[in-house]
Amino acid sequence: MSANGVASNLYPFGAASVGEAPERDDALVSAIVGAVELAGAHTGSVFLLSGDHRSLVVAASCGSPPSLLSGWRRIPVNSGLPVAEAYRSGRMVHLAGAEETMRRFPQLSVALPYPFGSASVPVRAGERTFGTIAVVWTARPDGTGLSRAQRRKLRSAADRLGTTLAGLRARGALGEYDERTAPVVVPLPSAPVIRVGLFDWNLKTGALTADDELCAIFGMPPREFDGRAATLAAMIEPTDLPGFRSAARAAVQERHVLAHCLRIRDGRGGHHTVELWGRVPESPDDLEASAHLVGAVLDSGSRMAAVAAIERLADGFFALSPDGRLAYANHSLESLLRVRQDELLGRRPWDVLPWLADPVYEDRYRAALVSQQPVSFLVRRPPDNWLVFSLHPGAQGMTGWVAPARQPVPADTGPGATTLTAGGPPASWSPPPAAPRVGSLYRVLTLGSALTEAVTAHEVFEAVAEQLLPAFGGQKLAIAVVEERRLRLLDQRGYSKRFLTRFEGTPLHARLPVTDALTSGAPLFVESREELLETYPGIMVSQSNSWAFLPLIASNRPVGVCLLGFDDVHRFPDEERGVLTALGGLIAQALERARLYDAEFALARGLQNALLPHGLPTLPGLDVTGRYLPGTRGMDIGGDWYDVIPTGDEVALIVGDVEGHNVAAAAAMGQLRSAVRAFATAGHRPSDVVANTNRLHMDLDPALLASCCYARLHPRSGVVRIVRAGHPPPLLRLPDGQAEILDVPGGPLLGIDTAAHFPESELRLVPGSVLALYTDGLIERRDSDIDSDVDRLRASLARIGGGRLEDLADALLRDARRSADRADDIALLLTEYAPPPQTAT
């Protein structure tokens, strides 16, 4: 049979069931097991990009099961987690230990306050990134992480997986991942706990066929075994042989299963006990087969004796599987916990015992599992009995020990008094605060952080959409705000605009889920369409099947409502309901702040628009264009301005900058612009215009300083006189394409000295040259000096110029428009001297 045939026969009907992809799963298993082994990690996961490209979803896990880290099953692509950072950047994120994790990812450290190291590696093939491999290991005392060789091998493993996934995608065999896709879960590789040897014993001839493992159990090299049962029988304790032979004959005659314990001598005067299980093959018509006994020898080493010893102890001992379920409990644990073994086995202790249900106890288990360090803590078993729990983690699970507290417990000791310790009773009785499940706190922190950066109401919506949808697996989101006791749609994602338009202007007294949640102040969770229609008969229903209606209440008044929709039926466990309720409060506060900002911004922006020129005059012999670009953050208004003022035969050109980015800066800019216009149209010299403007600014008791560059140009002669007041120097592009910095002398900033002197410089423009006046927002760069910044703009002016003046202005601002963190606003004024050609007379 071919390899593919063998693989297909592993499935119930000879082929993979719906949703299963054997090649993909094999690649995921091989990659994650290999990554965990080469990193010396105790857990690892493969995250693949979801179908909607908004989340990274756990596709395979080795070690800690996804159920333990349920809050991390879906990670938003734009989140601050290392897994998402590695995906976005295309580079490994290596965190050697807790200190580095705290420094680079402080929110993650708050949500997972355990000592561990981690590495997240992008899974790529060419230009496509499929996801991330993440591994976690026990933090080392010296704070070192993976070696260079380990990191190199980890990147190679991720690249191999990426190549495989790319091939599967090309053949249409990769499939898509979302929150409904069950991950592949594999345990950590380990040595076998029990050795099993197989045999086939011909009772008539005494011939015995044994595999290599059975020979090893009997302490005999396989090549030295002669195939005779007597050879192995010689190694069995002689006193055990008569009883064994009798039991074997009875099993053959009565055709029942043989189960017998034997002691095998080790050649050093000792022995160890094994179990032998055998049966006669089911062949009633084959007399030859009925004379055979086939079966296995099980060697559990000293484990049987260890279990018997633990059962004799008065303290409670138990074993937990990696997902926290009880795999073993001795009888003493029953009396200490006052619960039967059959009620505990296969279940998580905190799910069975009400007094262990405080989240802090599960967090202690999680702390031990993630850090792989022993943890001890106190628990109060009602009515007033205190027990010491000690957890000792390992690669395959965890061993626990429970005993009565041996010393008096202070009366104010609360649940979860705990400490990380090497074993024994806790070193401290002080209780920590109760901890939420993993992921819950991180979601609150992440959204809270994103909301603090959101300035406008629409930025608040974008932050909520980017965090809430991928974190909870929703597909649709809408936020409506309250205006004059009615709901107005702020923004939506995933819904049909036509569907939501029907609800625009809904009064708060209408009986709908959104209004009921808002007026009651309590979130409403609807898990099915039937439930929704039963409560609200006749309501128009979208294509969703589950909904969360979150009231947004701030300062004890309704601000709006957040609607989260799910395409499939979604169950809302208590923890998720609590997290969504808490997030609703954060969203409400941010939305209220943003709407206040929007109102102030509309007023301030209207003021600024009124002060800036709406159009520039058409002047003979000159081509003039201006640009204003607000800062990317803050109020989006400021004190930068430009103006063009005809003054008889000449034209005045001005660019200025008042410090600040608020209403006060815009107001001061308006005063200065008016002053310059008044003095310029009155016919004052350029130096006098600036000096008079400075004195007026001082008389108005300015709280803000300002700078400006003022130029008066005579279009017929090309003579220009320039005055600078604390402002960057103007630039001049010559007709041959060269550009230069006009090193004209300047005076101080406006608003410093009433008697300040502002020198005036004069030069003559050549036809076809371009004069550039600008504010420092266009040139300033972080970690760069002003001279380098000005020269960079000069080089750009020389390189880009030569075409239309409008195109030149747009090109000079192009890099500034792309910047996401530019704090300052920009004013730019370009003037091309293009006098008409002189005609001969």
Side-chain angles (χ1 to χ4, degrees):
M1 182 181 292
S2 66
N4 287 338
V6 171
S8 67
N9 285 336
L10 293 176
Y11 292 88
F13 302 103
S17 301
V18 176
E20 293 178 324
E23 288 185 78
R24 180 194 66 196
D25 293 348
D26 291 348
L28 293 174
V29 169
S30 176
I32 193 56
V33 171
V36 167
E37 287 182 331
L38 67 87
H42 61 265
T43 184
S45 296
V46 177
F47 293 82
L48 294 184
L49 187 65
S50 63
D52 59 12
H53 290 196
R54 294 201 306 244
S55 308
L56 294 167
V57 183
V58 175
S61 180
C62 179
S64 300
S67 59
L68 176 71
L69 305 178
S70 57
W72 311 103
R73 279 288 309 279
R74 294 181 305 270
I75 294 177
V77 166
N78 64 341
S79 75
L81 282 172
V83 168
E85 175 68 23
Y87 173 82
R88 293 194 306 269
S89 67
R91 297 189 297 271
M92 175 186 290
V93 177
H94 177 254
L95 305 172
E99 183 177 345
E100 187 174 5
T101 303
M102 173 62 78
R103 184 176 69 254
R104 296 177 58 184
F105 298 91
Q107 290 180 337
L108 175 61
S109 293
V110 173
L112 286 174
Y114 319 125
F116 63 89
S118 68
S120 300
V121 194
V123 177
R124 307 181 65 186
E127 297 299 319
R128 178 175 292 275
T129 303
F130 290 93
T132 309
I133 291 179
V135 292
V136 177
W137 61 85
T138 305
R140 301 177 176 93
D142 57 3
T144 59
L146 301 181
S147 65
R148 289 186 178 180
Q150 285 176 307
R151 280 178 272 175
R152 184 177 62 253
K153 292 178 181 177
L154 196 58
R155 282 190 289 264
S156 297
D159 290 342
R160 286 194 298 272
L161 177 60
T163 301
T164 301
L165 297 180
L168 292 172
R169 181 178 180 274
R171 303 201 310 270
L174 180 58
E176 289 188 351
Y177 273 85
D178 57 29
E179 71 280 355
R180 296 165 292 180
T181 308
V184 179
V185 181
V186 291
L188 285 171
S190 64
V193 176
I194 298 176
R195 293 193 298 173
V196 179
L198 304 179
F199 67 86
D200 183 342
W201 181 14
N202 189 322
L203 300 178
K204 285 185 177 181
T205 65
L208 189 143
T209 303
D211 67 358
D212 291 351
E213 191 66 25
L214 187 137
C215 293
I217 290 173
F218 276 78
M220 177 181 295
R223 62 179 178 276
E224 296 181 8
F225 179 52
D226 58 7
R228 296 171 58 247
T231 302
L232 296 181
M235 307 183 71
I236 297 176
E237 186 71 23
T239 56
D240 291 351
L241 283 173
F244 168 66
R245 292 189 181 113
S246 177
R249 287 192 294 269
V252 171
Q253 293 169 3
E254 301 173 10
R255 306 186 73 84
H256 63 68
V257 175
L258 168 66
H260 202 83
C261 288
L262 295 171
R263 290 176 293 171
I264 298 176
R265 294 183 294 178
D266 59 12
R268 300 189 304 273
H271 60 260
H272 64 281
T273 301
V274 299
E275 294 181 67
L276 187 145
W277 292 74
R279 65 177 180 84
V280 176
E282 294 293 336
S283 302
D285 298 330
D286 189 345
L287 297 178
E288 182 67 25
S290 65
H292 281 254
L293 194 67
V294 296
V297 173
L298 284 67
D299 180 12
S300 60
S302 60
R303 292 174 180 82
M304 292 173 62
V307 170
I310 290 176
E311 289 293 342
R312 291 190 290 267
L313 295 177
D315 292 338
F317 286 87
F318 59 92
L320 296 175
S321 61
D323 64 352
R325 299 182 185 276
L326 217 72
Y328 166 77
N330 71 344
H331 284 85
S332 297
L333 190 69
E334 287 185 312
S335 60
L336 286 171
L337 303 185
R338 294 182 179 174
V339 63
R340 298 196 314 272
Q341 277 187 340
D342 58 354
E343 296 180 37
L344 282 172
L345 294 178
R347 304 180 66 187
R348 297 180 179 91
W350 46 86
D351 292 336
V352 178
L353 303 169
W355 45 274
L356 271 179
D358 193 297
V360 74
Y361 299 132
E362 184 182 356
D363 185 68
R364 293 302 86 209
Y365 163 75
R366 188 177 294 111
L369 192 65
V370 174
S371 68
Q372 289 291 289
Q373 295 182 11
V375 169
S376 295
F377 54 91
L378 279 174
V379 180
R380 181 180 180 180
R381 188 198 68 198
D384 199 23
N385 301 101
W386 288 88
L387 302 175
V388 177
F389 278 71
S390 186
L391 303 178
H392 297 260
Q396 306 302 322
M398 193 173 302
T399 300
W401 163 72
V402 182
R406 306 299 184 189
Q407 64 186 85
V409 180
D412 59 349
T413 301
T418 180
T419 181
L420 287 174
T421 177
S428 170
W429 304 108
S430 60
R437 289 177 181 265
V438 170
S440 301
L441 180 58
Y442 183 81
R443 285 171 177 167
V444 175
L445 290 171
T446 302
L447 182 58
S449 177
L451 290 175
T452 60
E453 299 176 5
V455 177
T456 68
H458 284 281
E459 287 180 358
V460 169
F461 174 83
E462 288 300 320
V464 174
E466 292 300 320
Q467 296 297 327
L468 223 59
L469 286 176
F472 292 92
Q475 289 75 39
K476 297 178 176 65
L477 179 75
I479 292 182
V481 296
V482 177
E483 293 181 0
E484 298 179 350
R485 302 289 297 171
R486 292 180 178 271
L487 289 178
R488 305 289 182 186
L489 180 66
L490 171 65
D491 211 337
Q492 64 87 26
R493 182 174 294 184
Y495 280 103
S496 163
K497 290 184 178 179
R498 182 179 178 183
F499 173 77
L500 291 178
T501 301
R502 303 173 185 176
F503 299 97
E504 183 69 11
T506 298
L508 295 189
H509 59 76
R511 191 170 186 275
L512 293 170
V514 288
T515 52
D516 283 357
L518 189 56
T519 55
S520 68
L524 179 61
F525 300 97
V526 181
E527 297 183 341
S528 68
R529 296 169 70 91
E530 293 76 17
E531 181 183 346
L532 181 68
L533 293 172
E534 181 181 349
T535 309
Y536 300 92
I539 188 175
M540 289 181 293
V541 183
S542 67
Q543 296 301 313
S544 301
N545 281 284
S546 296
W547 300 265
F549 302 91
L550 306 179
L552 306 180
I553 309 295
S555 304
N556 293 322
R557 64 183 185 85
V559 175
V561 64
C562 177
L563 169 58
L564 185 61
F566 299 82
D567 288 347
D568 296 323
V569 173
H570 183 86
R571 303 304 177 192
F572 298 93
D574 290 343
E575 179 192 355
E576 189 168 287
R577 295 182 181 219
V579 174
L580 285 170
T581 301
L583 294 179
L586 290 178
I587 297 169
Q589 295 291 336
L591 189 59
E592 182 184 45
R593 170 177 48 80
R595 295 186 70 196
L596 290 174
Y597 165 85
D598 286 343
E600 183 181 354
F601 168 75
L603 176 64
R605 194 54 175 266
L607 170 64
Q608 187 172 47
N609 288 338
L611 296 175
L612 287 171
H614 291 268
L616 298 178
T618 301
L619 304 168
L622 297 177
D623 187 7
V624 184
T625 188
R627 296 288 187 274
Y628 173 77
L629 191 64
T632 58
R633 304 302 298 167
M635 184 59 73
D636 283 358
I637 66 167
D640 287 19
W641 91 94
Y642 64 87
D643 206 354
V644 178
I645 311 166
T647 58
D649 292 338
E650 297 180 308
V651 59
L653 310 168
I654 178 76
V655 164
D657 183 1
V658 179
E659 65 174 336
H661 308 91
N662 48 32
V663 176
M669 177 267 284
Q671 293 173 339
L672 292 177
R673 178 172 180 263
S674 299
V676 171
R677 270 190 164 268
F679 294 129
T681 54
H684 292 280
R685 291 175 55 87
S687 57
D688 292 336
V689 169
V690 176
N692 292 338
T693 301
N694 175 57
R695 282 191 290 272
L696 177 63
H697 191 46
M698 294 288 291
D699 291 343
L700 294 174
D701 189 21
L704 302 173
L705 302 177
S707 70
C708 73
C709 184
Y710 179 87
R712 177 170 287 189
L713 174 62
H714 194 286
R716 285 196 297 175
S717 66
V719 173
V720 62
R721 289 171 290 172
I722 301 174
V723 177
R724 284 198 303 136
H727 203 80
L731 302 178
L732 182 66
R733 186 183 188 277
L734 302 175
D736 61 3
Q738 298 185 52
E740 60 184 46
I741 301 171
L742 298 181
D743 188 19
V744 296
L749 290 167
L750 304 179
I752 292 180
D753 182 7
T754 305
H757 173 64
F758 298 93
E760 183 178 308
S761 302
E762 181 178 306
L763 67 148
R764 185 181 297 273
L765 300 184
V766 180
S769 56
V770 176
L771 179 67
L773 307 181
Y774 55 93
T775 57
D776 56 7
L778 181 61
I779 59 173
E780 285 185 340
R781 298 291 184 273
R782 198 173 294 176
D783 303 324
S784 179
D785 62 87
I786 187 67
D787 292 336
S788 300
D789 294 335
V790 173
D791 189 64
R792 187 185 305 109
L793 181 61
R794 178 202 61 77
S796 297
L797 183 63
R799 184 181 70 257
I800 300 171
R804 294 175 60 249
L805 199 64
E806 297 286 336
D807 296 336
L808 175 59
D810 291 337
L812 291 176
L813 262 67
R814 187 171 296 126
D815 289 342
R817 289 183 184 277
R818 292 172 179 168
S819 175
D821 58 355
R822 175 177 47 81
D824 206 356
D825 43 353
I826 295 171
L828 172 66
L829 184 63
L830 299 180
T831 304
E832 183 175 11
Y833 179 50
Q838 298 291 329
T839 58
T841 58

